[in-house]
Amino acid sequence: MEKRKKHDLRLSQEQRQSQDLRLFSVLAAPEEDFLRQSAELEADPLFSRLCASGPDGAAPVLRRRLPGASYAFSYACGDAALAAAAEAGGAGEWLADRPAMLELARRAGQANFEKFFLSGSAFSPATAARACGFTPEEAAALKNFADAFTLAHERVPPRALPALYLRCAAVVTVEHGKLSAAYTHPGYVRGVYRIDRRALAALVRSGAISGAEAARAASLLSRAQRLAWRKAGFHKVLTAILEAQAGYLLRESGLKPLTQRQIAARTALNPATVSRLIAGKSLLLPWGEEMALNGLFLSKNAYISDKIREILGAGSMSMTDRDITEALRTTYGVRVSRRSVNLYRSKL
């Protein structure tokens, strides 16, 4: 009995290690590989069946939209390179309507466009038209186009996407003084998967899927869970970074001291996980500059050095260390010793 317990424990540990390795591979995968894995999962016929309700009305896989997630439709739709990639993938002649549809999206405004044309809620042409100042026919046309373009974008093979869409995660914008970020790939907006293994068991018992399919279904659900974990983790990290550096992105202040360890603490993730999630990714900032996500982190030492430079630039190089210490405290709320100021100053 004791030997069997040890054997079962060893198997359990090996299974956990195997799961950890698979999760690590998803976290560390380049964006192209991640999008490819997601597309392959979505295209799997058995996975499609798992997303449908079973005999008891429950589905083994439910999609849950990430809170606050949106799609950078106007940016993506206005990109000729992406439109060409979508057209090469069989998007059809309807892409010729892009200029007119982009103008309608602009007239609707970002908030209304996301509310009526990108959300998963029921669509009413009349309601959308009243809110946006359209005719019902224009609202219906924009909705159909937005749905078609989003689907066409998602179906572009990752290897055929313009390079920008593999490194730039989101477009950051400011509207009415409010900061928002929209993902450059609709797969993030589609959301994550919530797995119901009891629904899978019920599906197997009903005979809707065979025993052989059940084993593969369990594997698909595990893969979906790992992909969802990466999406949800990145969304949490991105949201936390934008909140922490809102002043900089709104051009109200400079970058604040921020480390990956601090973001890890805010998101309840491991610092190494945060590092993997943001590796190689960038953002398009409100003023049009592309910045690596790593560029939004600033160590406390670098921050203090920058502020000392500003103080010396605005004042006099003959300021004493005590003067600088006081200026740091009163102007920036930074409390450091005079000896530390002397050390920072010597390295400028």
Side-chain angles (χ1 to χ4, degrees), residues 54-242:
D56 61 351
V61 179
L62 293 174
R63 286 189 174 86
R64 178 176 61 82
R65 190 164 177 146
L66 293 166
S70 62
Y71 171 48
F73 171 84
S74 294
Y75 182 84
C77 189
D79 188 334
L82 179 61
E87 190 170 18
E93 295 180 356
W94 55 266
L95 275 173
D97 293 333
R98 276 195 313 134
M101 295 299 107
L102 279 169
E103 176 58 22
L104 284 177
R106 185 195 63 77
R107 283 172 50 195
Q110 183 176 333
N112 276 337
F113 183 73
E114 289 183 4
K115 178 180 179 180
F116 293 106
F117 301 97
L118 292 183
S119 71
S121 56
F123 177 71
S124 165
T127 303
R130 281 195 300 272
C132 302
F134 297 162
T135 65
E137 292 74 21
E138 286 175 325
L142 180 56
K143 175 62 175 172
N144 290 336
F145 183 89
D147 288 347
F149 184 85
T150 302
L151 183 61
H153 183 175
E154 195 165 9
R155 287 181 173 174
V156 174
R159 66 180 181 279
L161 285 170
L164 176 70
Y165 292 85
L166 295 176
R167 66 173 187 269
C168 183
V171 178
V172 183
T173 57
V174 178
E175 188 172 16
H176 305 304
K178 185 179 178 182
L179 197 67
S180 64
Y183 286 105
T184 56
H185 195 279
Y188 282 90
V189 184
R190 180 191 282 268
V192 295
Y193 309 111
R194 186 165 64 83
I195 308 302
D196 186 345
R197 295 190 181 275
R198 286 184 296 183
L200 174 61
L203 208 60
V204 174
R205 287 195 301 270
S206 72
I209 62 174
S210 67
E213 287 178 321
R216 199 166 76 82
S219 176
L220 288 174
L221 294 188
S222 294
R223 192 193 313 174
Q225 213 161 27
R226 292 191 294 271
L227 293 171
W229 204 94
R230 169 162 162 162
K231 276 187 189 178
F234 181 75
H235 185 66
K236 287 169 66 176
V237 167
L238 178 61
T239 301
I241 293 173
L242 295 182

Side-chain angles (χ1 to χ4, degrees), residues 26-32 166-169 188 230 234 237 241 260 271-282 292-295 297:
V26 170
L27 291 176
E31 189 70 3
E32 182 177 340
L166 295 176
R167 66 173 187 269
C168 183
Y188 282 90
R230 169 162 162 162
F234 181 75
V237 167
I241 293 173
Q260 292 183 15
T273 299
V274 172
S275 178
R276 293 187 188 102
L277 287 171
I278 66 173
K281 291 189 175 66
S282 64
L293 269 171
N294 274 325
F297 291 94

Side-chain angles (χ1 to χ4, degrees), residues 261-302:
R261 190 171 294 277
Q262 287 174 311
I263 291 297
R266 292 187 187 197
T267 56
L269 296 172
N270 187 287
T273 299
V274 172
S275 178
R276 293 187 188 102
L277 287 171
I278 66 173
K281 291 189 175 66
S282 64
L283 297 176
L284 278 178
L285 304 185
W287 50 91
E289 176 188 351
E290 183 183 357
M291 175 183 273
L293 269 171
N294 274 325
L296 290 171
F297 291 94
L298 183 68
S299 71
K300 185 177 180 180
N301 287 347

